[in-house]
Amino acid sequence: MLHKTLPLIAAGMIATTPAFAQTDIPFTLDWRFEGPSAPYFLAIDNGHFADAGLDVEISAGEGSLDAIPKVATGAFPIGFADINSLIRFLDQNPGAPVTAVMMIYDSPPFSIVGRKSLGINGIEDLEGSTLGAPPPDGAWAQFPILAAVNGIDASTITVEPVGFPTREPSLAEGTVDSVTGFNFSSYLSAARLGVPEDDLTTILFADHGVKLYGNAIIVNTDYAAANPEIVTAFLGAVVDGVRDALADPAAGAAAVIARNPAGDVDLETRRLQMALDANIATVYALENGMGDIDPARMAEALEQMTIVYDFQNAPDASLYFTDAYLPPAEERSLAQ
């Protein structure tokens, strides 16, 4: 486990911020209100945050590069963001008061979604194909790692720089053979555009040697140091929300749609189920309780990141993640 030493807290400060007083917590997501955000809304609707003495208000985001500065500046004490983006942010902004405290996507959603009818049945078919990739896409940013780990000759791949709005339409129209994206987004978007699901294949980076982690709960470290009990209570309520989502994904999607009436409850149920199955309730999380990381894997992930990113400072895993605020492992069990 990775630890960061918590500073001593004066008795007077503890008295002013009791762990179970009704405490307002603004919480920023990295994206819109969609299926994978259901655990946080279930934690509100099912009283888990309230039982922890927290009044949580959830805000949508515009990507991890939006969420991370919000937390680092203290505009939000807690947020949700991609840890790989956080690692780069901290490398470029040494000493910024932000770190990850609970891993949610133990397996990142980075993937390639292709069409079997266009020759993409698996990773071995990428060479010689046409790949659609939005330049700012998170999965595209990590593609060189996938290629390096699997010996893919990327020079044989024709890369079409598509926009996010045209990514799945390009796949549906057959102008590209596959696209980079998230497993729970690009697949469903292509299917909704009429691509038969038995014609779609998903190449999840994590299934092919990429050791990176995905999105995590992040905190402002100044806030967390002054309010450790509040942060731990928040994380415990999130675990309860994940358990609720696992038990009833449809209820989770309904909780999302209550805040996003323009959404489709059936679509978000499927999106949530895909995130739970592939990204959250992984073998590691089921065996060890959700939220923590494997230090050996993190070391490998940082080494792989050097393929796509030139660190300005020596990588230091303790800057990017701490388990100091996690509830005990038995309280993070996903067993129903």
Side-chain angles (χ1 to χ4, degrees):
M1 291 186 180
L2 301 173
H3 295 271
K4 291 175 72 177
T5 302
L6 297 178
L8 295 176
I9 302 173
M13 184 176 292
I14 295 175
T16 60
T17 56
F20 298 104
Q22 195 68 22
T23 303
D24 293 336
I25 299 289
F27 175 57
T28 181
L29 297 175
D30 66 328
W31 197 237
R32 297 185 289 262
F33 294 171
E34 295 183 341
S37 60
Y40 314 113
F41 295 115
L42 288 172
I44 292 176
D45 294 350
N46 295 342
H48 303 311
F49 283 133
D51 290 345
L54 307 176
D55 184 6
V56 176
E57 181 178 356
I58 302 174
S59 297
E62 298 179 1
S64 291
L65 296 182
D66 170 61
I68 293 168
K70 286 178 179 176
V71 175
T73 60
F76 287 80
I78 306 179
F80 181 65
D82 170 45
I83 196 169
N84 305 290
S85 299
L86 176 66
I87 291 168
R88 296 186 188 202
F89 179 85
L90 286 169
D91 184 57
Q92 295 162 15
N93 300 274
V98 58
T99 194
V101 292
M102 172 179 271
M103 187 56 59
I104 302 296
Y105 293 164
D106 179 65
S107 176
F110 308 135
S111 65
I112 292 172
V113 175
R115 293 184 60 176
K116 298 174 184 176
S117 61
L118 299 177
I120 307 299
N121 292 283
I123 192 170
E124 66 280 358
D125 299 317
L126 292 177
E127 290 187 352
S129 71
T130 300
L131 174 68
D137 179 49
W140 170 242
Q142 314 304 339
F143 177 75
I145 299 176
L146 180 75
V149 170
N150 291 277
I152 296 170
D153 184 354
S155 68
T156 68
I157 300 174
T158 301
V159 179
E160 291 290 342
V162 297
F164 286 117
T166 59
R167 173 173 51 190
E168 288 80 21
S170 297
L171 185 62
E173 293 164 3
T175 56
V176 298
D177 304 320
S178 63
V179 295
T180 62
F182 283 6
N183 60 295
F184 48 69
S185 294
S186 290
Y187 179 97
L188 291 177
S189 295
R192 283 173 66 84
L193 289 171
V195 180
E197 291 196 40
D198 60 5
D199 188 32
L200 290 169
T201 186
T202 300
I203 302 168
L204 199 63
F205 287 19
D207 290 340
H208 296 279
V210 176
K211 301 298 184 180
L212 304 181
Y213 282 95
N215 282 43
I217 303 292
I218 64 174
V219 299
N220 180 281
T221 53
D222 294 336
Y223 178 88
N227 302 278
E229 296 96 339
I230 290 175
V231 174
T232 298
F234 182 94
L235 300 181
V238 169
V239 175
D240 289 334
V242 171
R243 290 193 193 108
D244 291 348
L246 285 166
D248 192 347
V256 171
I257 297 303
R259 282 86 173 179
N260 180 17
D264 181 309
V265 69
D266 292 333
L267 174 66
E268 298 312 326
T269 299
R270 290 200 63 192
R271 197 190 311 276
L272 171 59
Q273 189 67 66
M274 292 176 75
L276 290 169
D277 291 345
N279 310 110
I280 299 174
T282 63
V283 172
Y284 183 87
L286 291 171
E287 291 180 350
N288 298 279
M290 70 169 291
D292 207 350
I293 65 170
D294 176 359
R297 175 181 162 191
M298 176 59 87
E300 290 186 79
L302 291 173
E303 180 63 29
Q304 289 186 347
M305 280 191 69
T306 63
I307 296 172
V308 295
Y309 178 71
D310 292 327
F311 280 91
Q312 299 176 14
N313 304 283
D316 181 354
S318 68
L319 297 176
Y320 320 132
F321 183 91
T322 175
D323 64 3
Y325 303 97
L326 285 174
E330 61 272 16
E331 296 178 18
R332 293 182 279 110
S333 172
L334 295 180
Q336 301 298 303

